[in-house]
Amino acid sequence: MLRITVPIVGACTMIACWAVYVDVSAVPPYILPGPGAVASSFMKDWAILLAALWTTAQTTFMALLLAVAGGGCAAVVLAQSRWLETLLSPVMVTLQVTPIVAIAPLILIYSPTPWFAQLICAFLVTFFPIMLNTLQGLKSADRHHSDLLKTYSASRWQTLLYLKLPSALPSFFAGLKIGGGLALVAAVVGEFAAGQAGNNAGLAFRLLEAQYRLNMPRLFACLILLAILGAAIFGLTSKLSELALRRWHESEQK
């Protein structure tokens, strides 16, 4: 109960300070709107904002699911073959360190639709944290346990199933927490670079639209929805980590 109450109290305090500052400083609403103006924008534009939220959430969660599947499978394959990891490491490092903002226009050129370009951007950014953390976890399995399994003539796949995969779970969920936030960031970047208007517009496009029109209440409403979506993704991944690890791993012990 305390874990829920404290964040709510903190959020209410921030909103109260925001309202007081706007009233005391008499800052113009086109520079900093008050909480009331933002709430009014939510009520007036709720249909547009919810549709944009759904579009951004779809891209984010689809990219996250693809990154979990692709990153997990790639980590397992690379963990079984050291020479393959060495062969592909230059490509992986190059893709990881290249800013997604720089390659987003190129992805847009070769993608069949703008939404697919956004999905690729989000996938590329999300894939590597999950893959690298999972790979590190697979390679960090206890050597003594591995030697014990060899003593009992366990096959490579039995060692993977009974030792390496359970040992990699904490690292996998750490990468999942990081990847969840990065998926949203990359989805927003993709919408900035390849956003589309109309019913398929995401929150980032609506944010830019509000900026061009100097509609600051709607801009702040988009920012708040993005923050809520990011917090929800982090809370979901944290809960999954807790459910998977709390019975046996120290990181989730209360």
Side-chain angles (χ1 to χ4, degrees):
M1 186 65 180
L2 184 62
R3 295 173 61 183
I4 300 176
T5 305
V6 173
I8 293 177
V9 172
C12 292
T13 303
M14 291 180 60
I15 294 174
C17 293
W18 175 14
V20 170
Y21 174 78
V22 170
D23 289 339
V24 171
S25 63
V27 61
Y30 57 83
I31 295 179
L32 180 62
V38 176
S40 177
S41 178
F42 270 119
M43 298 297 294
K44 183 176 64 175
D45 302 325
W46 67 270
I48 295 175
L49 294 176
L50 287 183
L53 175 63
W54 174 243
T55 300
T56 302
Q58 276 185 306
T59 305
T60 302
F61 282 105
M62 181 66 72
L64 186 57
L65 289 175
L66 291 175
V68 167
C73 292
V76 170
V77 172
L78 294 177
Q80 302 302 306
S81 178
R82 186 61 60 89
W83 70 267
L84 185 60
E85 179 186 356
T86 304
L87 177 66
L88 296 179
S89 60
V91 178
M92 294 188 298
V93 170
T94 301
L95 288 175
Q96 183 183 10
V97 301
T98 303
I100 194 63
V101 178
I103 63 175
L106 187 63
I107 294 173
L108 178 61
I109 293 174
Y110 295 111
S111 296
T113 63
W115 180 84
F116 194 69
Q118 298 166 25
L119 181 62
I120 293 176
C121 290
F123 169 77
L124 288 177
V125 173
T126 312
F127 172 82
F128 291 102
I130 294 176
M131 188 272 290
L132 291 176
N133 276 274
T134 306
L135 179 60
Q136 186 64 33
L138 291 169
K139 294 165 62 177
S140 300
D142 190 280
R143 188 174 298 275
H144 298 294
H145 292 166
S146 179
D147 292 339
L148 179 62
L149 287 175
K150 289 180 181 178
T151 303
Y152 286 100
S153 302
S155 66
R156 175 179 293 185
W157 291 107
Q158 287 176 320
T159 302
L160 174 67
L161 180 63
Y162 295 112
L163 175 62
K164 291 186 177 181
L165 286 179
S167 300
L169 280 179
S171 298
F172 166 76
F173 281 108
L176 183 63
K177 292 178 184 178
I178 298 171
L182 290 178
L184 178 59
V185 172
V188 170
V189 172
E191 289 180 8
F192 281 154
Q196 51 188 330
N199 295 329
N200 294 323
L203 279 175
F205 181 87
R206 294 302 181 190
L207 190 150
L208 287 177
E209 182 183 51
Q211 177 188 355
Y212 294 146
R213 297 180 178 181
L214 292 180
N215 189 345
M216 298 303 289
R218 181 187 286 189
L219 188 152
F220 272 80
C222 292
L223 287 175
I224 291 173
L225 286 177
L226 285 172
I228 292 174
L229 179 58
I233 293 172
F234 182 80
L236 177 60
T237 54
S238 298
K239 189 62 177 178
L240 291 175
S241 176
E242 179 184 350
L243 291 174
L245 304 178
R246 66 182 177 183
R247 294 183 181 274
W248 62 277
H249 198 264
E250 294 82 357
S251 63
E252 296 294 345
Q253 297 293 324
K254 302 299 181 183

